[in-house]
Amino acid sequence: MSNFGYVAPSTVEETLAVLQRATDQGQRTQILAGGTDVIVQFRSLDSSHRLFVDIKSLKETNDVRIENEHIFVGAAIPSGVLNENAELKALFPGLLEAADLIGSTQIQGRASIGGNLCNSSPAGDTIPALIVNSALCVIATSEGTRTVPSEKFVTGVGRNCLAAHEFLLGFQIPRPSAGTGDAYLRFIPRTEMDIAVAGAAVSLSLNHEGICERARVSIGAVAPTPLLVSSAAEALVGTTADEDALQQAAQACSDAAQPITDKRGTVEYRRKVVGVLCRRAGAIAKDRALSNRN
Amino acid sequence: MSKIYVSATVNGRPEDVLCEAHQTLLDLLRDEIGLTGTKEGCGTGDCGACTVLLDDRLVCSCLVLAPEADGKEITTVEGIADSQDGLHVVQQKLLEHAALQCGVCTPGFVVAAKALLDKDPNPDEKTIRYWLAGNLCRCTGYDKIIRAVQDAAQELTPTK
Amino acid sequence: MAEVANFKAIGTRPIRPDGVEKVTGRANFGADLNLPDMLHGKVLRSPHAHARIKRIDLTKAQAMEGVYAAISSADFPQEVTSSLSRNILARDKVLYHGHALAAVAARTPRIAEEALARIEVEYEVLPPVLTLDDAMREKATLVSEDLRTNDDENSPPSNIAATQRFERGDVTKGFAEADVIVQEEFRVPSAHQGYIEPHACVATSNPGGRVTVWCTTQGPFEVRSATAGVLNKTVSDIKVIPSEIGGGFGGKTVVYFEPVAVRLSELTGKPVKMVMNREEVFRATGPASATLCKIKVGAKKDGRITAATAWLAYEAGAFPGSPVGPGCMSVFAPYDIDNFLVEGYDVLVNKPKVAAYRAPGAPQSMHAMECAIDELAQKLDMDPIDLRLKNAAKEGTIAPYGPKFPPIGLVECLEAAKRHPNYVNKTSEEVGRGVAVGFWFNIGMQSSAEVNIAEDGAVSIMEGSPDIGGSRASMCLMAAETLGVPYETINAHVGDTESTGFCNLTGGSRTTFATGLAVVKACEDVIAQCKARAAMTWELDVEQVDWRDGQAVPKPGVNIDVEPLSLADIAKTMSRTGGPLLGRASLNAQGAGACFSVNWTDVTIDRETGKVDVKAFTAIQDAGRAIHPAYVEGQMQGGAVQGLGWALNEEYIYNENGVVENASFLDYRVPVASDMPMIDCEIIEVPNPSHPYGVRGVGETPIVAPLAATSNAVRDLLGFRINDLPLSPPNVLAAIDAAD
């Protein structure tokens, strides 16, 4: 009668085989990492039968590899564990802070960046931070792996580019050059425990004269998917990321936003606040870039 | 419905139980093992009443599937007090400060506060408040809970 | 003024007798009971806010493997037509999104949930009535087609269930005499009590018609009578055992599914457990009324109020019975006003039936009045505390709701505020401060207590008030004081409806006052018996024996050389002196003293996001006498944070179809630990003459003042007022932008 199942494969191959077999048999599968979105949605929105495929026993999804060119971060590592990695925190303070903002201490013990991305909420806190860090999503497929830029991963509210028999292994993120800093800020009504009403991530690289040579700006919770706002980045490149430039980037974010009114905020509110957050996050990113110049 | 066999260590003792894939660790603890000290306040990870330690990391047991507990070590509120030494200092200080009114959130606070002090024996008020932000209390306004945890920290590090 | 008290136990802060059970996870709450062969009940709830039920077909659910029963209102006595019975399971219409209309009992919760999905219901969807404005409009859609205002058969059907009006003096003349007039409208949204423990019960039955209900409740005797009413049973058929209760705040004074669990148990012959999930708690229980309050108040240049009017409309939800009555009675209670008029409206809307929430009705109407008083202080350029002192009710003032105030502590609280270091320290430019007064009537009602003395002198109190915030400790302290024995030798137990005398619910801030009074009197009964036993031992008349410091002693002047007899001494020999020592008292307590408070909130505002942060909060409140001061402070602090939550972010958000969009702790935003500062407390003691130790109830007043105190703080900082709550970031930012 009932058709619930749980498996925790120990290799990528086994995981893919389980997914393929279930897809062939018409059984619904549910990839499980930290479960802090999956189990909530299972309990309160759709409790239909499914096979839970727990990917936390895989080496790859728990891996952190810090190499010269790239840094690999496994998809299923709990944020609480990531935030204990000082090296990672020094490389991507904005991304790690974004991960740290997700939920309570208890949620931090489970919630992962990969899960946050795969949940594909417009308000996922780590997604703008992944985007500004030019993270590539590494996806396991039957042919091996494929990569997708993080700004292309989410395709709609709760939708993404993963096929039924695929799953996310982790992220390959370029090592930031000297003089680079990132930051992420979100707005919530309380101090903790809320979903972002708006969020903004900024990464910028300053040269020795303090001129911004590269910038990426991404905003969340103000459109069906997190957005990469190139007009905001353009407002920063070639400037010292001073107040004027940051204000222009903020305006570009407000202009790029396509928010809705819902229980968490209004169109007007989100449009205005996302600009404020961009400006404030930009100032933090600039400070970090300045202190990273050697 | 085929049941799944789970073998876990709960409060230092081996437990072997059968569960279903859709059950949570909270269901496993309360309904299969009979440890009802861990409470369900929301079922969505928003209130912290179901807080337990899973391999020494704080989690909401309502957001862990029961089969995930296989091979894991779990500590619940029932495992915090020592049968030889009595109450943990956090429990004692919560009592001394009258930091519980109805008491239903208390098991979650006990587990979470103990985990904090194990990690950081001398947290400031802000650290305590943010660490415990995932534990809702509707009775106390948090004041006496925070003071109890501060006092417990003081007792654990008398030289500071 | 208050005598200098010289107590040994009262005023100390010992550990509560049930404390160890609660910090170790041993205490059993509503959902913690599991019985052999037990089934699990679940409720089917309406997906529409307003619809006619054309057909309910339970057959597919009943046919499911593992399902033992599926029922609807047709399975209940049809002659019972009360609102309560129709709220528990809808009859002809569903009246709000989440309204229960069927239930199942199954082997597991999961099977029960799947069975609910197989119940077929045919609805004729009707337009919902969702706001006070829509409900009170002429030709409004009717929530109940046969409801007439004040049951007046000559008036047309209406959503206005009841009106009330009371007045004194001549408001026209009073406003004519005023130098300054403030007139404003204020809206307060629905808020939920937000207790952390969802409703839960287990019902068992036997073929003889006897049933037992284990449940989490503020009032086991009220559960007994309500369950009996819905099932058309006599109360003697029903035993109610209260579990430990995980918060209530008024929301666990009514029944939601206890009669359903009983019916399912009767039909299956098995124990049936029912536990709500959090979403059900938000959709179908509580909340407090959303309100519209219009206030007009006039004063002379010196601050003396000459007249005031209040027009108060309260949402009742789907059935009559909002707390607009106490809202009307409390709105002007802190002030001595010669000319006033109060009008109240109890209004039906397609939302859950409201339930009591801590000082039910007062936070909303007093938010309006305390904001108006603050505006008056601005216009008069007076300190807000001085303005209140100028008009404060005191002993002898005729309360707006009728009686003459006995000794009350409002002036003492205001004076304490004026000299409090937190008030004397003026705020910086970036901080706004707002003051407000709180009030609650408090109630007495019926309580019983027994005090049993064990053979070693240990004292065991049996009473019927569920302990929701440490009341066992207060009972033990009052018993220790009265008997003169150490607190540690006393324990207090909350009995079930068959092991303790009748006791009204834990509510109305009555427990420490009324049940406490019963405990004191039961202890006095024990003392009388001890004196008689000592007299028998010493061969004296009972009039020749005194009870001092926990011992029987011969009265001064009685010429006999004996050692005093302690309670333990007398207990040791009680089998030879007349048998067990058992003191009893039952009473209908009169003279619950009114409780006043003064609060102030200090806030900062992020003007770019509209976020209001509470930097400091001070609560001053008259407790009459603080039996266990830490638990009095606990009431003040907990009520303050609930009030701050209501002021800042808590609200029910409905869509146009009447669906609550934020039925979770994620989006119904109660304050978390990192949102709040410490809550500074000062307890004032103006003893209540109707209680032997001077107790006033303290539980409800604390939630009242924080709403207006926070509004007034935001007004102070912004320089203009935002009349409506909540002061959530989008609302505050919109107001700032509109003012620019």
Side-chain angles (χ1 to χ4, degrees):
Chain A
M1 176 189 64
S2 168
N3 193 10
F4 278 108
Y6 168 89
V7 284
S10 51
T11 66
V12 171
E13 295 68 31
E14 195 187 339
T15 309
L16 290 167
V18 165
L19 291 172
Q20 190 63 57
R21 192 163 54 242
T23 310
D24 294 346
Q25 291 170 356
Q27 186 182 21
R28 177 171 174 184
T29 57
Q30 175 74 63
I31 302 285
L32 180 70
T36 54
D37 286 312
V38 163
I39 298 174
V40 173
Q41 288 158 10
F42 170 64
R43 289 176 64 111
S44 48
L45 293 177
D46 175 6
S47 64
S48 56
H49 300 172
R50 68 195 67 182
L51 174 66
F52 291 100
V53 183
D54 187 343
I55 59 163
K56 288 193 292 298
S57 303
L58 306 182
K59 179 183 172 296
E60 290 81 351
T61 58
N62 287 294
D63 216 9
V64 175
R65 289 196 309 275
I66 299 176
E67 293 164 354
N68 282 343
E69 301 258 305
H70 295 104
I71 288 85
F72 180 85
V73 179
I77 304 169
S79 172
V81 175
L82 284 181
N83 269 284
E84 288 162 7
N85 186 326
E87 208 179 346
L88 214 49
K89 222 169 160 172
L91 283 165
F92 308 110
L95 175 60
L96 276 278
E97 280 163 7
D100 189 45
L101 287 173
I102 302 168
S104 59
T105 316
Q106 289 87 332
I107 299 297
Q108 288 288 305
R110 302 274 292 167
S112 62
I113 297 181
N116 195 230
L117 179 68
C118 291
N119 188 49
S120 302
S121 157
D125 286 303
T126 61
I127 309 174
L130 286 167
I131 290 173
V132 297
N133 280 295
S134 304
L136 285 177
C137 310
V138 182
I139 297 165
T141 75
S142 47
E143 288 80 40
T145 60
R146 69 183 177 105
T147 60
V148 173
S150 43
E151 63 269 27
K152 298 263 165 63
F153 187 90
V154 181
T155 55
V157 178
R159 288 186 295 127
N160 58 49
C161 67
L162 284 180
H165 51 277
E166 294 180 333
F167 70 99
L168 184 68
L169 279 178
F171 304 96
Q172 183 180 302
I173 315 173
R175 178 182 279 275
S177 59
T180 297
D182 75 335
Y184 172 77
L185 291 176
R186 66 167 185 190
F187 182 80
I188 56 171
R190 292 182 291 190
T191 49
E192 274 281 6
M193 303 305 290
D194 292 330
I195 303 289
V197 178
V202 177
S203 169
L204 46 82
S205 306
L206 303 178
N207 66 16
H208 280 284
E209 284 75 50
I211 304 296
C212 177
E213 293 188 322
R214 183 208 66 102
R216 278 169 78 90
V217 177
S218 175
I219 53 180
V222 291
T225 67
L227 299 176
L228 177 65
V229 187
S230 51
S231 53
E234 285 157 15
L236 296 174
V237 173
T239 75
T240 56
D242 55 10
E243 241 172 76
D244 269 3
L246 288 171
Q247 187 53 49
Q248 284 189 29
Q251 188 58 50
C253 286
S254 292
D255 292 345
Q258 309 147 32
I260 56 164
T261 292
D262 67 6
K263 60 192 169 189
R264 293 177 187 140
T266 60
V267 166
E268 299 72 26
Y269 186 78
R270 287 187 157 115
R271 197 180 283 288
K272 179 156 182 178
V273 169
V274 78
V276 172
L277 295 170
C278 166
R279 199 189 73 228
R280 293 178 182 179
I284 298 169
K286 177 186 169 183
D287 284 347
R288 286 177 176 162
L290 285 171
S291 62
N292 282 343
R293 275 194 294 182
N294 307 310
Chain B
M1 218 180 287
S2 61
K3 298 246 183 181
I4 299 168
Y5 172 74
V6 172
S7 177
T9 304
V10 181
N11 299 329
R13 292 166 47 93
E15 295 281 355
D16 297 274
V17 282
L18 294 175
C19 69
E20 294 176 35
H22 61 78
Q23 285 185 298
T24 63
L25 174 57
L26 178 60
D27 299 332
L28 192 77
L29 292 169
R30 288 179 55 84
D31 299 336
E32 309 303 329
I33 300 176
L35 291 172
T36 58
T38 307
K39 307 301 178 189
E40 176 164 334
C42 68
T44 51
D46 297 309
C47 80
C50 67
T51 300
V52 300
L53 285 164
L54 181 69
D55 280 353
D56 279 333
R57 205 164 275 278
L58 217 51
V59 300
C60 288
S61 59
C62 74
L63 295 188
V64 177
L65 290 180
E68 290 187 72
D70 190 43
K72 299 279 200 298
E73 279 195 33
I74 296 148
T75 305
T76 71
V77 66
E78 289 94 339
I80 301 290
D82 188 297
S83 56
Q84 306 299 315
D85 303 337
L87 296 180
H88 186 273
V89 60
V90 163
Q91 294 169 313
Q92 184 62 30
K93 291 300 171 188
L94 287 168
L95 290 178
E96 288 174 11
H97 285 261
L100 49 141
Q101 288 178 31
C102 80
V104 81
C105 71
T106 308
F109 273 99
V110 166
V111 176
K114 179 198 179 281
L116 169 62
L117 296 182
D118 286 348
K119 187 182 150 97
D120 177 359
N122 199 22
D124 61 14
E125 181 189 338
K126 188 176 173 191
T127 304
I128 299 170
R129 285 187 181 275
Y130 275 85
W131 182 272
L132 297 176
N135 292 82
L136 296 183
C137 170
R138 192 62 162 168
C139 292
T140 65
Y142 303 106
D143 184 301
K144 292 189 187 305
I145 295 173
I146 305 301
R147 289 180 200 277
V149 177
Q150 287 175 320
D151 195 5
Q154 196 103 70
E155 183 133 328
L156 287 170
T157 54
T159 49
K160 297 246 169 160
Chain C
M1 267 294 298
E3 81 281 14
V4 177
N6 188 17
F7 295 121
K8 287 206 168 87
I10 285 173
T12 63
R13 300 171 176 234
I15 289 174
R16 61 195 288 170
D18 55 332
V20 173
E21 295 284 300
K22 285 184 173 156
V23 297
T24 57
R26 286 172 171 77
N28 287 312
F29 289 82
D32 294 343
L33 179 69
N34 290 313
L35 295 174
D37 201 28
M38 185 175 79
L39 303 178
H40 296 268
K42 292 275 176 192
V43 169
L44 181 69
R45 298 183 181 278
S46 168
H48 306 293
H50 193 191
R52 210 170 298 285
I53 303 170
K54 302 187 76 174
R55 187 177 64 92
I56 300 180
D57 187 346
L58 302 166
T59 48
K60 284 186 183 152
Q62 285 160 337
M64 236 182 104
E65 194 189 326
V67 172
Y68 286 70
I71 61 173
S72 69
S73 64
D75 297 284
F76 285 73
Q78 296 301 297
E79 61 276 23
V80 179
T81 60
S82 60
S83 291
L84 179 64
S85 69
R86 288 166 183 273
N87 194 35
I88 285 170
L89 284 176
R91 298 255 171 108
D92 48 340
K93 289 212 297 186
V94 285
L95 298 175
Y96 54 94
H97 182 270
H99 195 167
L101 70 154
V104 299
R107 181 52 69 198
T108 70
R110 175 77 204 176
I111 296 172
E113 270 167 28
E114 296 197 0
L116 291 181
R118 302 199 187 183
I119 297 174
E120 292 173 5
V121 186
E122 197 181 319
Y123 298 99
E124 177 193 341
V125 179
L126 303 170
V129 188
L130 298 172
T131 64
L132 285 165
D133 307 76
D134 283 348
M136 296 179 82
R137 173 170 299 151
E138 263 189 72
K139 294 187 179 154
T141 300
L142 294 170
V143 175
S144 170
E145 285 82 359
D146 49 11
L147 181 86
R148 285 158 212 277
T149 305
N150 299 327
D151 292 326
D152 178 357
E153 291 188 5
N154 297 319
S155 68
S158 168
N159 291 319
I160 301 172
T163 62
Q164 54 185 277
R165 178 187 162 97
F166 55 92
E167 59 190 309
R168 183 189 299 164
D170 180 342
V171 293
T172 310
K173 179 167 153 281
F175 282 121
E177 288 168 3
D179 297 315
V180 180
I181 290 175
V182 170
Q183 187 166 8
E184 298 279 351
E185 293 184 20
F186 302 89
R187 287 177 195 271
V188 175
S190 244
H192 197 275
Q193 294 80 351
Y195 32 82
I196 305 300
E197 180 203 29
H199 298 262
C201 69
V202 178
T204 63
S205 60
N206 73 22
R210 295 267 300 150
V211 301
T212 300
V213 180
W214 153 283
C215 64
T216 173
T217 178
Q218 293 175 241
F221 288 90
E222 281 80 1
V223 170
R224 185 176 71 169
S225 59
T227 303
V230 170
L231 297 171
N232 215 359
K233 287 176 173 290
T234 68
V235 293
S236 58
D237 288 333
I238 300 170
K239 173 180 177 177
V240 177
I241 307 171
S243 68
E244 293 302 324
I245 173 171
F249 314 107
K252 287 179 185 160
T253 58
V254 286
V255 299
Y256 292 103
F257 54 22
E258 289 80 354
V260 176
V262 168
R263 199 75 195 97
L264 288 169
S265 175
E266 288 182 327
L267 289 169
T268 60
K270 295 175 187 296
V272 174
K273 180 176 188 170
M274 298 185 80
V275 181
M276 283 195 202
N277 63 32
R278 179 55 55 183
E279 185 180 338
E280 291 179 288
V281 172
F282 277 116
R283 292 203 191 286
T285 76
S289 297
T291 58
L292 170 58
C293 298
K294 304 176 185 178
I295 295 283
K296 184 178 175 186
V297 53
K300 303 291 278 183
K301 281 201 188 86
D302 67 356
R304 181 77 198 138
I305 296 172
T306 58
T309 60
W311 182 100
L312 311 174
Y314 280 46
E315 287 184 3
F319 299 98
S322 77
V324 68
C328 288
M329 287 159 68
S330 56
V331 62
F332 298 142
Y335 304 110
D336 184 359
I337 306 176
D338 290 334
N339 307 297
F340 64 78
L341 167 64
V342 183
E343 291 174 89
Y345 299 86
D346 183 34
V347 185
L348 263 58
V349 288
N350 288 115
K351 296 181 181 176
K353 165 81 172 75
V354 301
Y357 180 22
R358 209 167 196 161
Q364 298 99 319
S365 66
M366 290 186 70
H367 164 258
M369 180 59 177
E370 290 302 296
C371 286
I373 291 285
D374 193 66
E375 282 303 305
L376 206 54
Q378 297 276 353
K379 285 197 177 186
L380 293 165
D381 198 22
M382 274 182 86
D383 176 273
I385 291 180
D386 288 338
L387 175 60
R388 288 175 170 89
L389 272 169
K390 185 97 189 165
N391 296 284
K394 48 182 84 70
E395 182 176 2
T397 301
I398 309 293
Y401 53 95
K404 185 190 282 191
F405 278 123
I408 51 172
L410 175 57
V411 169
E412 288 78 357
C413 286
L414 287 164
E415 285 171 346
K418 276 211 81 164
R419 59 174 180 264
H420 196 287
N422 290 3
Y423 194 77
V424 174
N425 292 343
K426 291 299 171 198
T427 56
S428 71
E429 290 277 296
E430 297 81 46
V431 177
R433 173 173 293 169
V435 180
V437 163
F439 158 83
W440 187 245
F441 313 86
N442 295 332
I443 57 172
M445 307 217 296
Q446 301 173 88
S447 284
S448 310
E450 278 185 9
V451 174
N452 288 285
I453 310 301
E455 59 272 30
D456 63 355
V459 179
S460 169
I461 300 166
M462 179 64 83
E463 40 104 356
S465 294
D467 182 353
I468 206 163
S471 60
R472 286 184 183 94
S474 299
M475 299 306 155
C476 291
L477 281 169
M478 285 185 277
E481 193 70 47
T482 308
L483 292 169
V485 301
Y487 171 85
E488 292 71 25
T489 65
I490 308 174
N491 208 337
H493 310 275
V494 178
D496 61 55
T497 56
E498 291 182 356
S499 64
T500 181
F502 185 88
C503 194
N504 282 121
L505 80 183
T506 294
S509 303
R510 64 177 289 279
T511 298
T512 307
F513 170 69
T515 304
L517 193 58
V519 168
V520 170
K521 288 191 181 299
C523 288
E524 287 168 350
D525 187 11
V526 168
I527 291 170
Q529 293 173 39
C530 286
K531 281 156 70 175
R533 306 289 176 102
M536 182 195 284
T537 306
W538 293 331
E539 297 181 346
L540 293 174
D541 285 340
V542 68
E543 287 75 25
Q544 294 177 295
V545 178
D546 243 348
W547 187 261
R548 274 208 307 271
D549 298 331
Q551 294 180 317
V553 292
K555 274 195 176 154
V558 176
N559 195 9
I560 180 170
D561 184 18
V562 291
E563 287 296 307
L565 289 173
S566 69
L567 185 63
D569 295 333
I570 295 166
K572 223 172 283 169
T573 62
M574 64 190 174
S575 65
R576 299 199 298 274
T577 58
L581 288 164
L582 163 60
R584 294 185 307 173
S586 60
L587 48 83
N588 190 354
Q590 306 295 317
C595 176
F596 287 90
S597 69
V598 178
N599 294 175
W600 60 98
T601 316
D602 289 350
V603 302
T604 58
I605 300 175
D606 180 339
R607 285 167 197 259
E608 289 187 318
T609 64
K611 187 165 191 292
V612 178
D613 281 325
V614 177
K615 297 313 228 187
F617 188 93
T618 312
I620 298 180
Q621 185 174 320
D622 173 21
R625 177 85 65 217
I627 300 299
H628 192 303
Y631 285 111
V632 173
E633 290 163 4
Q635 291 296 318
M636 295 165 72
Q637 292 164 337
V641 169
Q642 283 186 322
L644 289 168
W646 204 347
L648 293 175
N649 280 306
E650 291 183 37
E651 62 176 325
Y652 266 54
I653 301 169
Y654 284 90
N655 72 11
E656 69 277 12
N657 298 318
V659 178
V660 180
E661 295 204 312
N662 59 334
S664 70
F665 273 139
L666 179 63
D667 285 309
Y668 182 89
R669 302 185 186 97
V670 306
V672 302
S674 48
D675 292 337
M676 287 293 131
M678 293 296 187
I679 305 295
D680 293 339
C681 296
E682 182 178 341
I683 300 169
I684 301 297
E685 294 188 321
V686 177
N688 173 11
S690 301
H691 186 280
Y693 297 121
V695 168
R696 295 173 196 276
V698 296
E700 287 166 292
T701 297
I703 199 177
V704 178
L707 280 66
T710 307
S711 279
N712 294 342
V714 170
R715 160 76 175 81
D716 182 45
L717 193 54
L718 293 180
F720 62 88
R721 180 169 295 282
I722 304 172
N723 285 14
D724 300 342
L725 298 182
L727 297 163
S728 59
N731 291 350
V732 172
L733 190 65
I736 290 172
D737 287 347
D740 278 348

